[in-house]
Amino acid sequence: MSTTRASAASSASAMSGPIGIFGGTFDPIHYGHLRTAYELLATLRLPEMRFMPAGNPPHRNQTIASNEQRLQMVRAATAGQPGFTVDDREMRKPGLSYTVETLAELRTEMPARPLCLIVGMDAFLGLPKWHRWRDLLTLAHLVVAHRPGWRAPSMGPLGELLVDHGTGTVSDLHEATAGRIYIHAVTQLEISSTDVRALIGAGSDPRYLMPEGVRSIILESGCYAR
Ligand code: ATP
């Protein structure tokens, strides 16, 4: 294929392939998030992985770093990786941000585009507590990344959901705009933002748990120092 045709084909797929939506508090973003996003970008053949830092998450406590600091860290962490983008709409929205509402907004903007909401297994297990959780699959696919120590449910509402919507085929995520659940084992990096904050609070250096750009923002701002 000539270079022009190859780039035309790749920009056509960038305009039409599924978009990964990676939401989180990212307080702070770390290599567990980044490696997961990177592996899923390739495995699911996504032209775009969109990081969406939560503004005021209803089911969690207040974040420690400010919205501006978390956004700055996500931007620093994702800069330079083709396909990684940042969408700060939830931070710009006053009041609570519900995933279902954000997805509905994206669906209105991109009616024919498959959307893949990326969640860790821990987040998936808490899904029935999310606002209008059963509507999520009418708006997007769910892609569940295996995290260390967590198992997929085989019973209860989530077990049933997996029987009805589960797929092991990536092309299913390209062929429909929403409605499938795909579970994927990613490289297990046992890092959590809670542990990173505790480590920094105890005076340790978070080096090698996150990109250097993120570490610099943390050290310079002192946002997690006791
Ligand atoms: P906290 O410790 O504050 O709960 P976290 O490290 O789980 O934070 P979040 O911002 O809450 O980070 O996570 C965003 C998403 O990334 C969630 O779906 C979560 O399951 C997933 N995730 C977080 N850490 C990892 C990891 N190490 N490997 C795979 N997925 C992860």
Side-chain angles (χ1 to χ4, degrees), residues 33-92:
H33 301 127
L34 292 162
R35 183 69 207 178
T36 297
Y38 181 70
E39 290 184 12
L40 291 175
L41 190 76
T43 307
L44 307 181
R45 304 192 305 272
L46 306 177
E48 179 181 347
M49 180 66 83
R50 200 179 283 206
F51 289 76
M52 206 168 274
N56 189 358
H59 57 292
R60 309 202 26 163
N61 297 332
Q62 202 62 37
T63 59
I64 306 299
S66 67
N67 279 5
E68 293 69 26
Q69 286 163 336
R70 290 184 298 118
L71 182 59
Q72 204 191 352
M73 291 190 274
V74 173
R75 287 202 201 285
T78 53
Q81 169 55 45
F84 279 11
T85 61
V86 182
D87 185 332
D88 65 352
R89 72 179 67 213
E90 290 197 345
M91 284 186 161
R92 283 186 276 108

Side-chain angles (χ1 to χ4, degrees), residues 22 25-26 30 33 36 60 120 122 147 189 191-194:
F22 199 157
T25 42
F26 303 124
H30 53 67
H33 301 127
T36 297
R60 309 202 26 163
D122 59 322
R147 277 188 83 173
L189 294 174
I191 307 174
S192 76
S193 303
T194 304

Side-chain angles (χ1 to χ4, degrees), residues 159-221:
E160 284 163 26
L161 203 70
L162 279 173
V163 170
D164 293 342
H165 298 267
T167 178
T169 311
V170 168
S171 55
D172 286 346
L173 306 177
H174 287 246
E175 279 156 21
T177 54
R180 306 311 301 262
I181 305 178
Y182 183 88
I183 299 188
H184 185 71
V186 291
T187 299
Q188 306 284 288
L189 294 174
E190 193 147 13
I191 307 174
S192 76
S193 303
T194 304
D195 292 347
V196 171
R197 292 193 303 270
L199 180 139
I200 299 167
S204 296
D205 190 328
R207 188 186 281 271
Y208 305 132
L209 293 173
M210 62 197 53
E212 266 306 295
V214 176
R215 174 174 167 267
S216 306
I217 294 168
I218 291 174
L219 298 185
E220 278 160 28
S221 66

Side-chain angles (χ1 to χ4, degrees), residues 56-167:
N56 189 358
H59 57 292
R60 309 202 26 163
N61 297 332
Q62 202 62 37
T63 59
I64 306 299
S66 67
N67 279 5
E68 293 69 26
Q69 286 163 336
R70 290 184 298 118
L71 182 59
Q72 204 191 352
M73 291 190 274
V74 173
R75 287 202 201 285
T78 53
Q81 169 55 45
F84 279 11
T85 61
V86 182
D87 185 332
D88 65 352
R89 72 179 67 213
E90 290 197 345
M91 284 186 161
R92 283 186 276 108
K93 211 158 124 189
L96 304 178
S97 52
Y98 290 109
T99 303
V100 71
E101 287 168 4
T102 305
L103 289 178
E105 232 177 84
L106 292 169
R107 180 50 70 219
T108 308
E109 289 165 23
M110 298 175 280
R113 196 82 189 255
L115 299 174
C116 296
L117 181 68
I118 316 291
V119 290
M121 185 61 82
D122 59 322
F124 179 66
L125 295 178
L127 202 71
K129 292 197 204 104
W130 293 21
H131 182 53
R132 290 174 47 206
W133 70 279
R134 288 190 183 274
D135 293 342
L136 294 170
L137 279 170
T138 65
L139 298 163
H141 302 298
L142 275 178
V143 172
V144 186
H146 255 306
R147 277 188 83 173
W150 299 88
R151 245 172 208 285
S154 54
M155 294 183 319
L158 290 177
E160 284 163 26
L161 203 70
L162 279 173
V163 170
D164 293 342
H165 298 267
T167 178

